């Protein structure tokens, strides 16, 4: 099981500071899994609201998440909303890719 950063367009200076060297699409994760012999169990985008927050805050404005009122407000309002959306209506985009793979032949 992996959660990896999604969409190359979101790559920011903060991503690089965190050690991210790339961002992935679902198709990237599926191709990598198949190339290494994994069977894809699940591969979907998660955290659609985070896509827009990251695009504006980190990519366009060049910011960094900081502890404080804004982060607490985001965590209290948007994280539950994103989790609710992820369960009820999968989106064609998100801040991250959620991936589950299984070694072929192992059940």
């Amino acid at each position: 099981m992996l959660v990896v950063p999604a969409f190359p367009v979101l790559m920011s200076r903060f991503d690089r500071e965190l050690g991210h060297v790339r961002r992935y699409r679902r198709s990237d994760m599926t191709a990598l899994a198949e190339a290494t012999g994994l069977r894809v169990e699940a591969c979907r985008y998660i955290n659609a609201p985070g896509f827009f927050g990251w695009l504006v805050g980190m990519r366009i404005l060049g910011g960094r998440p900081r502890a404080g009122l804004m982060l607490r407000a985001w965590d209290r309002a948007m994280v539950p909303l994103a989790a609710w959306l992820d369960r009820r209506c999968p989106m064609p985009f998100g801040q991250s890719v959620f991936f589950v793979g299984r070694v072929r032949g192992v059940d």
Side-chain angles (χ1 to χ4, degrees), residues 17-35:
E17 289 173 10
L18 289 172
H20 298 162
V21 294
R22 65 181 292 190
R23 286 182 156 265
Y24 298 84
R25 292 186 180 86
R26 282 180 27 199
S27 58
D28 299 330
M29 291 303 299
T30 300
L32 286 168
E34 290 171 351

Side-chain angles (χ1 to χ4, degrees), residues 84-102:
W84 185 87
L85 284 171
D86 290 341
R87 286 189 303 273
R88 286 172 180 76
C89 67
M91 303 295 257
F93 61 91
Q95 183 180 0
S96 303
V97 176
F98 173 77
F99 172 84
V100 178
R102 184 179 299 269

